[in-house]
Amino acid sequence: MEEVVLRLKDATYRHSLYAPLAFKPWRKINGQGIFSANLSLHKGTILGLVGPNGAGKTTLLRMMAGILPLQEGSIYQSEKNSSSVLSDVNLRNIVGHMPEQVRWQGRKTVRDALLEIGEMRQVNESRIDGLLKLVGLRSRIDAPLNELSQGMRQRLTLAAALLGSPNILLLDEPLNGLDPVAAAAFIVLLGKLTDKGVSIVISSHQVEGLVGIIGRLALMHRGQILAEGTMTEVAEQLNLEKKTEVSGEGDAPDFSKYLTSAELIEVEQSSEEWRAVLNKSEPKLLQTLVADGIEITSWTIRQPNVIEMLCAATGQSVEDVGLEVSSTAVMPLRNFRGEEE
Amino acid sequence: MSDFSRIMVFAKRLMRERLFSTRMYIMLPILLLFIPGMAWGFSDPNIVLPGGHQPESPMEVLFYASLGVVFGATMCAVLLSYDSVSRERASGVLELRLSQPMPRAQQALAMILGSWRAILIPTWILLVFSVLIVRYRMGEWPSIVDGLVYFVSTALILLWYVLFTLLASSYTREQGTAISFGVGLWFLFTFLWALVTTMVAYASGVSIGQENDAAWVVLEGGLDLLSPNGVYHHLLETRLPQIDRGIVPWQSWVMALVWTLVPSWLFVRRMEKILP
């Protein structure tokens, strides 16, 4: 198992919300946030932070970036056999943070924008050119920020996060605004960085595209980390079994003859072929189906996907959750209640 | 790189950004008209001010010409700095800056220095022109101490307005609110302070606006210490012995220190706690 480089222990941060009263207009209460997060970052591994909107992914990343102070708990840096509590400044020294959607603007050039951040990190100018080459912005080095497209701005933010060669990289929705080719190149770049030992945390809604490179996964909901580990470990924690995807030509067979309703997840029928997802891996079923003359074109056993894991963790299905943000129906794991400071 | 040089480098970058911004190009003609223009007008040998008064010394001319600083340069200071924090916050650049190892207090100091120097440099250049104009028109130089007080006082009033605006900018998420706050404060201290003085005089039973009434003059002088524009004028008056408004020079300088340190401390404290 890879070496742990950073560890969050009971890290808590709750947003302060105004809740004025007639005779106490300055009153504030503790609102939502992150509750007792425990998380380990492993060297050279990508951790995918997954959760619905409002789950607290950005808040957690900001805590890990040293932007939001921890109200409870600590962040430890692990070195060989020892670990030490990190102050905000020390944390910021080893972490590179890429916020979501930085809207670079103004007449300042790309180079000047990076130099400004570089000076705050005490990075020398020669590193800037290399970074711009790495993110594919070298040809735009003297372009004013106003002239950059959203994708270029995203690349510039990544370059800014990489300044100072951080050991840990925190990426908040890094694929937003990138075209498909750039997104693929971005994923390749992440692979190169992990090869160099950089630990990466990615918060993204487009998780499916990242599954191939994610080493570990943390499922978040309502400010809590529900499950964390490798994909297999998370699936085990959630008692999720491997799924079987079957497809064939013609009409879909009547699966009720072979499986109970709990074992069959879904069947899709198109004009010429069908596809079914089974909730279990049952090699004998394949033999039975073939023996009954059903034409099977593919039979794949796969891990549960991230969405299935998230639904399992929250105890709800996609239909139940719908587009509701932070629905109280989603997961009453720990009732949220505002508390006066 | 030491902490001090890091602050100065960052401040220089912020200053250059504002100094060569479009809004500076728009404001330069205004500054040009207000600062050397007033010096030219008040140094006219034939000028007669209300009450039949005629400026007699170069420092007196500079004192009257300081109206150009109060009306023009302070407004430019507000317009240059109103989005220093709010724009970066709205665009996400502030979050990126806050995630850097440079301590927030140092970032705040750099912001103050950068925004202040952006308005200070053109204003001081125009003040130099003003002194030259006064010398040309009156045939006399102001003394070195007069010049020093004039330049330092002007630098201070600009700093105070920059600080108020930065504070407003750090508390607001919308740039419109930040500029409204800055302009509102400018309006209060530039135009409405007379109304505040009048109301206090009325409540205190002092006859209002009587320039020959010692009680009115002392009250007005005292209340002016609570306004940055008033302190600015008090500082300039330390070089005009014929003016006595019941305030001794050390009181003016102490209040100048208070107007400098309190907003600076508030801004640094605010930046240490600001959320992206």
Side-chain angles (χ1 to χ4, degrees):
Chain A
M1 190 162 172
E2 300 90 357
E3 177 192 342
V4 172
V5 286
L6 197 79
R7 194 157 52 86
L8 269 75
K9 190 167 179 252
D10 295 327
T12 300
Y13 178 87
R14 292 178 68 180
H15 296 284
S16 206
L17 304 174
Y18 273 106
L21 293 175
F23 297 103
K24 204 176 174 187
W26 59 88
R27 179 174 169 261
K28 282 184 173 181
I29 58 168
N30 281 327
Q32 294 191 359
I34 299 294
F35 303 88
S36 296
N38 290 294
L39 194 67
S40 297
L41 293 192
H42 296 256
K43 189 175 183 181
T45 305
I46 299 180
L47 172 77
L49 213 53
V50 178
N53 296 127
K57 302 185 292 292
T58 299
T59 304
L60 183 62
L61 285 183
R62 284 174 177 172
M63 288 163 73
M64 292 167 79
I67 297 173
L68 296 180
L70 266 59
Q71 292 162 349
E72 284 171 35
S74 311
I75 298 182
Y76 295 89
Q77 183 184 20
S78 302
E79 285 171 321
K80 293 180 182 170
N81 296 325
S82 64
S83 69
S84 52
V85 177
L86 280 172
S87 68
D88 284 349
V89 173
N90 289 338
L91 184 62
R92 292 197 291 262
N93 263 320
I94 60 165
V95 169
H97 177 49
M98 178 184 178
E100 182 183 5
Q101 297 262 340
V102 177
R103 290 177 294 282
W104 298 94
Q105 54 189 333
R107 294 191 305 165
K108 206 187 317 184
T109 63
V110 167
R111 182 194 195 87
D112 284 342
L114 269 191
L115 273 174
E116 181 186 304
I117 303 291
E119 279 157 5
M120 298 171 88
R121 267 197 180 267
Q122 303 196 331
V123 173
N124 62 34
E125 209 172 329
S126 59
R127 176 106 176 98
I128 307 279
D129 290 336
L131 271 177
L132 287 173
K133 187 181 173 191
L134 187 73
V135 298
L137 275 181
R138 201 174 184 184
S139 61
R140 314 287 298 182
I141 193 163
D142 292 318
L145 296 176
N146 280 337
E147 290 179 9
L148 298 184
S149 68
Q150 181 52 40
M152 290 173 187
R153 288 184 175 143
Q154 200 72 339
R155 290 165 194 237
L156 179 57
T157 313
L158 175 66
L162 288 170
L163 277 168
S165 307
N167 297 334
I168 296 161
L169 200 54
L170 308 175
L171 311 174
D172 197 355
E173 301 292 349
L175 300 182
N176 278 2
L178 293 183
D179 60 68
V181 176
F186 182 82
I187 289 170
V188 172
L189 172 62
L190 295 186
K192 286 180 186 167
L193 289 170
T194 52
D195 289 345
K196 288 180 183 174
V198 177
S199 307
I200 300 174
V201 183
I202 296 184
S203 151
S204 178
H205 298 300
Q206 300 166 42
V207 282
E208 293 303 327
L210 298 169
V211 164
I213 57 161
I214 286 176
R216 296 178 75 82
L217 183 70
L219 297 180
M220 286 196 73
H221 189 53
R222 302 199 64 168
Q224 296 169 85
I225 297 174
L226 307 179
E228 193 260 327
T230 61
M231 295 284 277
T232 315
E233 286 168 356
V234 171
E236 282 171 7
Q237 286 171 36
L238 298 169
N239 291 321
L240 285 174
E241 291 184 3
K242 289 179 179 173
K243 304 279 188 294
T244 307
E245 281 187 4
V246 195
S247 60
E249 289 180 353
D251 291 333
D254 180 10
F255 279 100
S256 60
K257 287 197 291 188
Y258 310 101
L259 298 164
T260 63
S261 58
E263 290 169 333
L264 179 68
I265 296 177
E266 60 178 19
V267 179
E268 285 172 14
Q269 176 73 58
S270 60
S271 57
E272 291 178 356
E273 56 183 16
W274 55 270
R275 177 182 160 274
V277 181
L278 316 180
N279 205 7
K280 60 189 290 190
S281 168
E282 188 68 72
K284 281 184 184 171
L285 180 65
L286 176 61
Q287 292 169 0
T288 315
L289 289 171
V290 173
D292 286 357
I294 296 164
E295 208 168 314
I296 306 286
T297 53
S298 75
W299 179 276
T300 316
I301 296 169
R302 65 159 174 84
Q303 287 279 356
N305 64 33
V306 177
I307 295 167
E308 287 163 349
M309 289 181 186
L310 195 58
C311 286
T314 57
Q316 299 286 317
S317 68
V318 174
E319 289 81 10
D320 292 334
V321 178
L323 289 172
E324 186 75 21
V325 176
S326 291
S327 162
T328 50
V330 175
M331 194 201 59
L333 264 187
R334 183 187 301 184
N335 286 337
F336 163 72
R337 196 159 46 107
E339 288 168 12
E340 196 171 347
E341 268 181 343
Chain B
M1 197 188 287
S2 69
D3 287 347
F4 177 73
S5 33
R6 185 156 61 164
I7 292 171
M8 296 313 283
V9 166
F10 190 38
K12 188 179 171 188
R13 192 166 285 285
L14 295 175
M15 178 200 74
R16 274 176 47 198
E17 199 181 312
R18 277 167 181 70
L19 198 56
F20 300 106
S21 63
T22 311
R23 67 183 94 151
M24 178 56 95
Y25 295 134
I26 295 169
M27 288 182 304
L28 261 181
I30 299 171
L31 289 176
L32 206 62
L33 278 174
F34 268 92
I35 299 173
M38 287 224 178
W40 178 271
F42 283 114
S43 58
D44 187 329
N46 301 318
I47 191 170
V48 180
L49 298 174
H53 184 70
Q54 275 192 307
E56 289 166 358
S57 65
M59 185 57 198
E60 206 178 338
V61 170
L62 291 177
F63 175 72
Y64 291 125
S66 71
L67 278 176
V69 172
V70 170
F71 286 116
T74 53
M75 175 54 94
C76 291
V78 169
L79 295 178
L80 269 187
S81 2
Y82 77 93
D83 59 353
S84 296
V85 184
S86 57
R87 189 179 73 157
E88 310 298 6
R89 199 177 186 193
S91 67
V93 174
L94 183 70
E95 184 172 353
L96 202 56
R97 281 187 187 163
L98 295 179
S99 69
Q100 303 308 316
M102 184 176 180
R104 289 181 177 205
Q106 291 181 16
Q107 292 188 36
L109 288 173
M111 279 174 151
I112 295 171
L113 288 175
S115 301
W116 178 38
R117 280 158 55 182
I119 183 65
L120 184 62
I121 289 173
T123 306
W124 266 7
I125 291 171
L126 293 175
L127 287 189
V128 170
F129 280 119
S130 300
V131 171
L132 293 174
I133 288 168
V134 171
R135 165 72 181 86
Y136 170 73
R137 301 266 280 176
M138 299 183 78
E140 198 181 338
W141 290 102
S143 73
I144 291 175
V145 180
D146 288 350
L148 203 65
V149 168
Y150 191 51
F151 277 70
V152 169
S153 309
T154 303
L156 284 174
I157 192 175
L158 294 177
L159 174 63
W160 301 332
Y161 275 94
V162 164
L163 284 168
F164 303 149
T165 316
L166 285 176
L167 256 174
S169 186
S170 70
Y171 273 102
T172 54
R173 285 192 181 266
E174 291 173 12
Q175 293 172 40
T177 316
I179 196 168
S180 305
F181 189 87
V183 172
L185 266 184
W186 180 86
F187 214 82
L188 169 72
F189 291 130
T190 309
F191 291 113
L192 296 181
W193 199 250
L195 189 66
V196 174
T197 310
T198 306
M199 284 162 61
V200 174
Y202 179 76
S204 318
V206 174
S207 50
I208 297 161
Q210 300 299 313
E211 297 296 335
N212 297 324
D213 182 351
W216 163 258
V217 172
V218 168
L219 177 85
E220 192 194 25
L223 281 179
D224 270 0
L225 288 176
L226 303 177
S227 147
N229 294 5
V231 175
Y232 176 53
H233 280 140
H234 276 308
L235 292 178
L236 296 178
E237 283 165 13
T238 57
R239 302 302 303 158
L240 298 170
Q242 67 273 32
I243 297 178
D244 179 12
R245 294 202 289 155
I247 302 296
V248 290
W250 71 264
Q251 288 174 319
S252 306
W253 286 106
V254 165
M255 282 311 287
L257 203 63
V258 170
W259 277 107
T260 306
L261 293 182
V262 173
S264 301
W265 175 75
L266 286 174
F267 180 65
V268 171
R269 191 166 165 269
R270 169 66 187 148
M271 286 304 290
E272 281 180 337
K273 293 189 170 181
I274 197 168
L275 301 179

